[in-house]
Amino acid sequence: MKTILSYLFPCLLTAGMMAACSDDVTSAVEQSATYLTIEAKVEEGGVNRAAMDATGFQEGDRIGIFVRDAEGNPYLSEQNCSNLLATFDGHQWVMDARIALQADREAMVYAYAPYDEQVMVSGDSITIDLTRQLDILYGNAEGVTPEHPMASISFRHALARISVSVTRDAEDTGEGRLTCVRVRNGGVSDCVSLAGKMNLANGGIEKETGDEACVVAEMDSLLSLEATDIDLLVLPTDNGIEEGEESPSVDILLTIDGKDYIKTVSRPVWQGGCQYIYPLKLRRTSAQPVDPEAPENPVDPEDPENPVDPEAPENPVDPEAPGNSVDPVEPEEGE
Protein backbone atom coordinates (compact mmCIF):
# COMPACT_ATOMS: atom_id res chain seq x y z
CA MET A 1 0.00 0.00 0.00
CA LYS A 2 2.80 2.38 0.84
CA THR A 3 4.37 1.68 -2.50
CA ILE A 4 1.12 2.44 -4.32
CA LEU A 5 0.57 5.65 -2.34
CA SER A 6 4.15 6.71 -2.89
CA TYR A 7 3.61 6.23 -6.59
CA LEU A 8 0.27 8.10 -6.67
CA PHE A 9 1.33 11.17 -4.76
CA PRO A 10 3.97 12.30 -7.30
CA CYS A 11 1.42 11.72 -10.10
CA LEU A 12 -1.24 13.79 -8.35
CA LEU A 13 1.28 16.51 -7.65
CA THR A 14 2.39 16.54 -11.28
CA ALA A 15 -1.23 16.70 -12.52
CA GLY A 16 -1.92 19.59 -10.20
CA MET A 17 1.10 21.47 -11.46
CA MET A 18 0.06 20.87 -15.06
CA ALA A 19 -3.44 22.22 -14.40
CA ALA A 20 -1.99 25.31 -12.74
CA CYS A 21 0.35 25.83 -15.65
CA SER A 22 -2.56 25.45 -18.08
CA ASP A 23 -4.54 28.14 -16.23
CA ASP A 24 -1.49 30.41 -16.29
CA VAL A 25 -1.10 29.93 -20.05
CA THR A 26 -4.79 30.69 -20.70
CA SER A 27 -4.61 33.78 -18.49
CA ALA A 28 -1.48 34.95 -20.27
CA VAL A 29 -3.12 34.53 -23.69
CA GLU A 30 -6.17 36.52 -22.58
CA GLN A 31 -3.97 39.27 -21.18
CA SER A 32 -1.95 39.50 -24.37
CA ALA A 33 -5.02 39.70 -26.67
CA THR A 34 -6.26 43.11 -27.81
CA TYR A 35 -10.02 43.45 -28.09
CA LEU A 36 -12.25 45.70 -30.18
CA THR A 37 -13.58 48.77 -28.34
CA ILE A 38 -16.25 51.24 -29.43
CA GLU A 39 -16.82 54.97 -29.25
CA ALA A 40 -19.81 56.61 -30.92
CA LYS A 41 -21.41 59.96 -31.61
CA VAL A 42 -24.43 61.15 -33.58
CA GLU A 43 -23.92 63.64 -36.39
CA GLU A 44 -25.98 66.83 -36.26
CA GLY A 45 -29.18 67.04 -38.27
CA GLY A 46 -31.16 64.51 -36.26
CA VAL A 47 -34.78 63.58 -36.88
CA ASN A 48 -35.47 61.81 -33.60
CA ARG A 49 -39.09 62.55 -32.74
CA ALA A 50 -38.58 62.02 -29.01
CA ALA A 51 -35.48 64.25 -28.76
CA MET A 52 -34.90 66.38 -31.84
CA ASP A 53 -31.82 68.04 -30.34
CA ALA A 54 -30.11 64.82 -29.25
CA THR A 55 -26.61 64.50 -30.69
CA GLY A 56 -25.30 61.78 -28.37
CA PHE A 57 -26.18 58.60 -26.54
CA GLN A 58 -27.57 58.10 -23.05
CA GLU A 59 -26.95 55.41 -20.48
CA GLY A 60 -28.73 52.21 -21.45
CA ASP A 61 -28.75 52.93 -25.22
CA ARG A 62 -27.97 49.87 -27.33
CA ILE A 63 -26.44 49.47 -30.78
CA GLY A 64 -25.84 46.53 -33.11
CA ILE A 65 -22.29 45.78 -34.30
CA PHE A 66 -21.03 43.94 -37.40
CA VAL A 67 -17.29 43.16 -37.71
CA ARG A 68 -15.84 42.35 -41.14
CA ASP A 69 -12.40 41.96 -42.71
CA ALA A 70 -11.12 44.01 -45.65
CA GLU A 71 -12.85 41.65 -48.11
CA GLY A 72 -16.20 41.99 -46.37
CA ASN A 73 -16.15 38.54 -44.76
CA PRO A 74 -16.89 37.89 -41.06
CA TYR A 75 -13.77 38.89 -39.15
CA LEU A 76 -13.61 35.65 -37.12
CA SER A 77 -14.62 32.28 -38.54
CA GLU A 78 -15.01 30.63 -35.12
CA GLN A 79 -17.18 33.37 -33.60
CA ASN A 80 -20.35 35.22 -34.57
CA CYS A 81 -19.50 38.69 -35.88
CA SER A 82 -22.99 39.90 -36.89
CA ASN A 83 -25.54 41.90 -34.88
CA LEU A 84 -23.45 41.93 -31.71
CA LEU A 85 -24.96 43.90 -28.86
CA ALA A 86 -23.12 46.89 -27.36
CA THR A 87 -24.65 48.85 -24.44
CA PHE A 88 -23.66 52.32 -23.25
CA ASP A 89 -23.14 52.38 -19.46
CA GLY A 90 -22.88 56.15 -19.31
CA HIS A 91 -19.11 56.18 -19.81
CA GLN A 92 -18.23 53.55 -22.38
CA TRP A 93 -19.70 50.92 -24.68
CA VAL A 94 -19.79 47.39 -23.25
CA MET A 95 -19.97 44.59 -25.80
CA ASP A 96 -21.69 41.32 -24.93
CA ALA A 97 -19.12 39.41 -27.00
CA ARG A 98 -15.45 40.38 -27.15
CA ILE A 99 -13.74 40.39 -30.54
CA ALA A 100 -10.00 39.67 -30.39
CA LEU A 101 -8.14 41.66 -33.03
CA GLN A 102 -5.51 39.91 -35.12
CA ALA A 103 -2.09 41.26 -36.06
CA ASP A 104 -1.64 42.50 -39.64
CA ARG A 105 -5.41 42.17 -40.26
CA GLU A 106 -7.65 45.21 -40.34
CA ALA A 107 -11.25 45.08 -39.16
CA MET A 108 -14.20 47.00 -40.62
CA VAL A 109 -16.94 47.82 -38.12
CA TYR A 110 -20.53 48.55 -39.17
CA ALA A 111 -23.19 49.62 -36.68
CA TYR A 112 -26.83 50.61 -36.39
CA ALA A 113 -29.16 51.89 -33.67
CA PRO A 114 -31.36 51.14 -31.91
CA TYR A 115 -30.38 47.49 -31.43
CA ASP A 116 -32.98 44.91 -32.42
CA GLU A 117 -32.40 41.30 -31.45
CA GLN A 118 -35.02 40.16 -33.99
CA VAL A 119 -33.78 42.28 -36.91
CA MET A 120 -33.49 40.43 -40.21
CA VAL A 121 -29.84 40.32 -41.31
CA SER A 122 -28.70 39.74 -44.89
CA GLY A 123 -24.93 40.07 -45.24
CA ASP A 124 -24.21 43.65 -44.12
CA SER A 125 -27.84 44.79 -44.49
CA ILE A 126 -30.70 44.98 -42.02
CA THR A 127 -34.44 45.39 -42.55
CA ILE A 128 -36.33 48.59 -41.66
CA ASP A 129 -39.96 48.52 -40.54
CA LEU A 130 -41.60 51.95 -40.88
CA THR A 131 -44.71 50.87 -38.98
CA ARG A 132 -42.61 51.12 -35.80
CA GLN A 133 -41.63 54.76 -36.55
CA LEU A 134 -38.16 54.36 -35.01
CA ASP A 135 -35.36 56.77 -35.87
CA ILE A 136 -32.74 54.49 -37.48
CA LEU A 137 -29.05 55.39 -37.26
CA TYR A 138 -26.12 53.84 -39.09
CA GLY A 139 -22.35 54.30 -39.10
CA ASN A 140 -19.03 52.56 -39.69
CA ALA A 141 -15.33 52.64 -38.88
CA GLU A 142 -12.34 51.34 -40.84
CA GLY A 143 -8.72 50.46 -40.12
CA VAL A 144 -9.26 48.84 -36.71
CA THR A 145 -6.14 46.88 -35.66
CA PRO A 146 -4.49 45.71 -32.41
CA GLU A 147 -2.44 48.93 -32.54
CA HIS A 148 -5.61 51.00 -33.04
CA PRO A 149 -8.39 48.94 -31.40
CA MET A 150 -10.88 51.80 -31.00
CA ALA A 151 -13.64 51.92 -33.63
CA SER A 152 -14.80 55.56 -33.74
CA ILE A 153 -18.29 55.46 -35.24
CA SER A 154 -20.09 58.60 -36.40
CA PHE A 155 -23.78 57.77 -36.75
CA ARG A 156 -26.02 59.29 -39.41
CA HIS A 157 -29.80 59.33 -39.63
CA ALA A 158 -31.17 56.99 -42.27
CA LEU A 159 -34.73 58.34 -42.46
CA ALA A 160 -36.37 61.63 -43.39
CA ARG A 161 -38.96 63.38 -41.28
CA ILE A 162 -42.20 64.91 -42.56
CA SER A 163 -43.65 67.59 -40.30
CA VAL A 164 -47.26 68.52 -41.05
CA SER A 165 -48.00 71.85 -39.38
CA VAL A 166 -51.76 72.54 -39.23
CA THR A 167 -53.39 75.80 -38.16
CA ARG A 168 -57.07 76.62 -38.10
CA ASP A 169 -58.47 79.76 -39.66
CA ALA A 170 -60.51 82.02 -37.37
CA GLU A 171 -63.51 81.62 -39.70
CA ASP A 172 -63.27 77.82 -40.00
CA THR A 173 -66.47 75.99 -39.11
CA GLY A 174 -66.73 72.72 -37.22
CA GLU A 175 -65.05 71.40 -34.09
CA GLY A 176 -61.59 71.02 -35.66
CA ARG A 177 -60.62 67.71 -34.03
CA LEU A 178 -57.65 66.05 -35.78
CA THR A 179 -57.51 62.29 -35.25
CA CYS A 180 -55.25 60.92 -37.99
CA VAL A 181 -52.56 61.93 -40.48
CA ARG A 182 -51.59 59.58 -43.31
CA VAL A 183 -48.94 59.75 -46.03
CA ARG A 184 -49.65 57.53 -49.03
CA ASN A 185 -48.65 57.14 -52.67
CA GLY A 186 -50.54 59.13 -55.25
CA GLY A 187 -51.17 57.96 -58.81
CA VAL A 188 -48.43 55.61 -60.06
CA SER A 189 -45.99 56.71 -57.36
CA ASP A 190 -43.96 54.34 -55.19
CA CYS A 191 -42.38 57.05 -53.03
CA VAL A 192 -43.99 55.77 -49.83
CA SER A 193 -42.93 52.37 -48.52
CA LEU A 194 -43.36 50.69 -45.15
CA ALA A 195 -40.26 48.49 -45.34
CA GLY A 196 -36.79 48.39 -46.83
CA LYS A 197 -33.34 46.89 -46.56
CA MET A 198 -30.47 49.18 -45.49
CA ASN A 199 -26.83 48.56 -46.35
CA LEU A 200 -24.83 49.41 -43.22
CA ALA A 201 -21.69 50.15 -45.21
CA ASN A 202 -23.16 53.15 -47.06
CA GLY A 203 -26.69 53.68 -45.72
CA GLY A 204 -28.31 52.86 -49.06
CA ILE A 205 -31.89 51.65 -48.72
CA GLU A 206 -33.65 49.27 -51.09
CA LYS A 207 -37.38 49.79 -50.73
CA GLU A 208 -40.06 47.16 -50.70
CA THR A 209 -42.57 48.77 -53.03
CA GLY A 210 -46.31 48.62 -52.61
CA ASP A 211 -49.04 50.84 -54.01
CA GLU A 212 -51.08 50.55 -50.82
CA ALA A 213 -48.26 51.60 -48.48
CA CYS A 214 -49.35 54.24 -46.00
CA VAL A 215 -47.48 55.79 -43.06
CA VAL A 216 -49.95 56.58 -40.27
CA ALA A 217 -49.92 58.77 -37.17
CA GLU A 218 -52.96 58.74 -34.90
CA MET A 219 -53.78 61.40 -32.34
CA ASP A 220 -56.66 63.30 -30.74
CA SER A 221 -55.85 66.99 -31.08
CA LEU A 222 -58.13 70.00 -31.15
CA LEU A 223 -56.85 72.39 -33.82
CA SER A 224 -56.51 76.09 -33.03
CA LEU A 225 -55.04 79.31 -34.38
CA GLU A 226 -51.69 78.05 -33.12
CA ALA A 227 -49.89 75.41 -35.20
CA THR A 228 -50.32 71.73 -34.36
CA ASP A 229 -47.29 69.76 -35.56
CA ILE A 230 -47.39 66.08 -36.50
CA ASP A 231 -44.18 64.21 -37.34
CA LEU A 232 -43.84 61.08 -39.44
CA LEU A 233 -40.66 59.22 -40.42
CA VAL A 234 -40.37 58.07 -44.04
CA LEU A 235 -37.81 56.35 -46.24
CA PRO A 236 -35.75 58.68 -48.44
CA THR A 237 -36.91 59.06 -52.04
CA ASP A 238 -34.94 58.71 -55.25
CA ASN A 239 -37.06 60.18 -58.00
CA GLY A 240 -35.04 60.08 -61.17
CA ILE A 241 -37.67 60.40 -63.90
CA GLU A 242 -37.15 59.30 -67.47
CA GLU A 243 -38.49 61.47 -70.29
CA GLY A 244 -42.18 60.81 -70.82
CA GLU A 245 -42.72 59.23 -67.39
CA GLU A 246 -45.45 60.51 -65.11
CA SER A 247 -44.19 62.59 -62.18
CA PRO A 248 -44.66 60.71 -58.89
CA SER A 249 -46.66 62.26 -56.08
CA VAL A 250 -47.75 61.58 -52.51
CA ASP A 251 -50.95 62.46 -50.68
CA ILE A 252 -51.01 63.81 -47.15
CA LEU A 253 -54.43 63.04 -45.71
CA LEU A 254 -55.82 64.57 -42.52
CA THR A 255 -58.89 63.21 -40.74
CA ILE A 256 -60.66 66.19 -39.17
CA ASP A 257 -64.09 65.92 -37.57
CA GLY A 258 -64.43 62.46 -39.10
CA LYS A 259 -63.78 63.61 -42.68
CA ASP A 260 -60.63 63.31 -44.81
CA TYR A 261 -58.79 66.30 -46.26
CA ILE A 262 -55.87 66.06 -48.65
CA LYS A 263 -52.74 67.86 -49.78
CA THR A 264 -50.94 66.43 -52.82
CA VAL A 265 -47.16 66.83 -53.06
CA SER A 266 -45.72 66.37 -56.52
CA ARG A 267 -42.34 64.69 -56.98
CA PRO A 268 -41.20 64.81 -53.33
CA VAL A 269 -37.47 64.67 -52.67
CA TRP A 270 -36.83 63.41 -49.13
CA GLN A 271 -33.25 62.95 -47.97
CA GLY A 272 -32.13 60.99 -44.93
CA GLY A 273 -31.43 63.19 -41.91
CA CYS A 274 -33.56 66.08 -43.23
CA GLN A 275 -36.87 67.48 -42.07
CA TYR A 276 -39.57 68.61 -44.51
CA ILE A 277 -42.28 71.00 -43.27
CA TYR A 278 -45.73 71.17 -44.86
CA PRO A 279 -47.73 74.08 -43.34
CA LEU A 280 -51.49 73.86 -43.88
CA LYS A 281 -54.32 76.17 -42.85
CA LEU A 282 -57.80 74.73 -42.43
CA ARG A 283 -60.47 77.07 -43.79
CA ARG A 284 -63.59 75.09 -44.58
CA THR A 285 -65.50 78.17 -45.68
CA SER A 286 -63.27 78.22 -48.81
CA ALA A 287 -63.17 75.75 -51.70
CA GLN A 288 -59.68 76.66 -52.86
CA PRO A 289 -57.08 73.90 -52.36
CA VAL A 290 -53.44 74.43 -51.49
CA ASP A 291 -51.03 74.50 -54.41
CA PRO A 292 -50.24 70.80 -55.11
CA GLU A 293 -47.21 71.73 -57.25
CA ALA A 294 -45.44 73.74 -54.56
CA PRO A 295 -42.08 72.26 -53.53
CA GLU A 296 -41.39 71.13 -49.99
CA ASN A 297 -39.01 72.93 -47.65
CA PRO A 298 -36.18 70.93 -46.04
CA VAL A 299 -34.76 72.41 -42.85
CA ASP A 300 -31.96 71.53 -40.49
CA PRO A 301 -33.68 70.88 -37.11
CA GLU A 302 -30.32 71.05 -35.31
CA ASP A 303 -29.39 74.58 -36.44
CA PRO A 304 -31.42 77.21 -34.51
CA GLU A 305 -29.43 80.02 -36.08
CA ASN A 306 -30.27 79.00 -39.63
CA PRO A 307 -33.27 76.64 -39.54
CA VAL A 308 -34.03 76.99 -43.24
CA ASP A 309 -31.69 75.64 -45.90
CA PRO A 310 -30.69 78.74 -47.94
CA GLU A 311 -30.56 76.57 -51.05
CA ALA A 312 -34.09 75.25 -50.48
CA PRO A 313 -37.10 76.53 -52.47
CA GLU A 314 -39.81 78.66 -50.95
CA ASN A 315 -42.23 77.30 -48.37
CA PRO A 316 -44.83 75.08 -50.06
CA VAL A 317 -47.75 77.01 -48.58
CA ASP A 318 -48.05 80.49 -47.16
CA PRO A 319 -50.30 79.89 -44.12
CA GLU A 320 -51.26 83.56 -44.07
CA ALA A 321 -52.29 83.73 -47.72
CA PRO A 322 -56.04 83.99 -48.36
CA GLY A 323 -57.76 80.96 -49.79
CA ASN A 324 -55.30 78.35 -48.54
CA SER A 325 -57.20 75.32 -47.37
CA VAL A 326 -57.05 71.60 -47.66
CA ASP A 327 -59.15 69.96 -50.32
CA PRO A 328 -61.82 67.58 -48.94
CA VAL A 329 -61.57 64.02 -50.21
CA GLU A 330 -64.72 62.29 -51.29
CA PRO A 331 -65.36 59.07 -49.30
CA GLU A 332 -64.47 55.91 -51.21
CA GLU A 333 -67.23 53.54 -52.20
CA GLY A 334 -68.40 51.46 -49.30
CA GLU A 335 -67.42 53.97 -46.65
Side-chain angles (χ1 to χ4, degrees):
M1 176 66 73
K2 290 182 178 179
T3 302
I4 296 174
L5 290 175
S6 298
Y7 174 76
L8 285 176
F9 282 153
C11 292
L12 292 173
L13 180 60
T14 302
M17 293 176 63
M18 291 177 63
C21 290
S22 177
D23 290 342
D24 290 342
V25 171
T26 301
S27 177
V29 171
E30 288 183 351
Q31 291 177 4
S32 64
T34 302
Y35 295 95
L36 170 68
T37 56
I38 300 293
E39 68 175 4
K41 67 177 182 178
V42 181
E43 288 189 358
E44 294 184 1
V47 294
N48 192 311
R49 297 168 64 227
M52 282 188 289
D53 297 328
T55 57
F57 291 94
Q58 299 178 349
E59 182 177 355
D61 284 346
R62 308 195 304 169
I63 61 178
I65 300 292
F66 292 68
V67 188
R68 299 290 185 259
D69 62 17
E71 286 71 40
N73 302 311
Y75 187 73
L76 300 175
S77 59
E78 70 278 5
Q79 183 177 341
N80 175 42
C81 292
S82 297
N83 204 32
L84 305 175
L85 171 62
T87 306
F88 190 56
D89 66 2
H91 302 283
Q92 61 184 355
W93 290 93
V94 180
M95 296 185 62
D96 273 15
R98 297 198 299 174
I99 300 295
L101 299 172
Q102 301 176 356
D104 302 323
R105 190 160 178 254
E106 291 189 359
M108 309 264 297
V109 179
Y110 305 136
Y112 76 95
Y115 174 78
D116 183 358
E117 184 179 5
Q118 303 299 324
V119 72
M120 297 295 294
V121 178
S122 176
D124 297 329
S125 298
I126 62 169
T127 55
I128 295 178
D129 180 4
L130 258 293
T131 63
R132 301 174 65 184
Q133 286 291 284
L134 294 177
D135 182 17
I136 306 298
L137 307 174
Y138 72 96
N140 58 72
E142 301 179 357
V144 181
T145 65
E147 293 74 27
H148 300 91
M150 179 73 76
S152 299
I153 304 173
S154 183
F155 281 90
R156 301 175 181 87
H157 292 264
L159 306 179
R161 180 174 69 175
I162 292 176
S163 294
V164 181
S165 183
V166 188
T167 56
R168 189 179 181 194
D169 187 81
E171 298 180 0
D172 177 63
T173 59
E175 183 181 13
R177 186 170 297 278
L178 176 66
T179 54
C180 186
V181 175
R182 290 167 286 165
V183 179
R184 71 181 186 188
N185 289 312
V188 297
S189 172
D190 60 357
C191 297
V192 179
S193 177
L194 292 179
K197 183 185 297 183
M198 180 175 68
N199 186 314
L200 295 176
N202 55 30
I205 298 178
E206 179 183 346
K207 294 182 181 179
E208 293 183 10
T209 59
D211 294 340
E212 302 301 321
C214 185
V215 180
V216 180
E218 295 182 340
M219 70 290 298
D220 187 6
S221 301
L222 196 60
L223 299 175
S224 68
L225 301 182
E226 299 294 328
T228 298
D229 298 325
I230 305 95
D231 295 335
L232 301 98
L233 297 175
V234 296
L235 295 179
T237 58
D238 180 13
N239 293 323
I241 303 175
E242 299 293 337
E243 185 175 353
E245 287 186 343
E246 183 178 345
S247 178
S249 63
V250 299
D251 295 332
I252 301 176
L253 292 98
L254 297 84
T255 303
I256 304 173
D257 296 338
K259 295 182 179 181
D260 286 341
Y261 298 82
I262 187 172
K263 170 179 171 56
T264 298
V265 181
S266 180
R267 196 175 181 179
V269 178
W270 300 328
Q271 298 179 5
C274 290
Q275 177 187 17
Y276 298 86
I277 301 176
Y278 296 92
L280 300 173
K281 173 168 282 191
L282 183 66
R283 184 184 291 119
R284 285 173 287 186
T285 58
S286 170
Q288 286 184 290
V290 294
D291 180 7
E293 299 299 326
E296 66 281 359
N297 177 29
V299 303
D300 181 359
E302 296 292 21
D303 187 356
E305 299 298 327
N306 184 26
V308 179
D309 182 351
E311 299 299 324
E314 297 293 334
N315 286 330
V317 179
D318 178 2
E320 301 301 327
N324 281 341
S325 66
V326 286
D327 187 21
V329 178
E330 295 296 331
E332 296 180 359
E333 293 185 8
E335 290 188 357

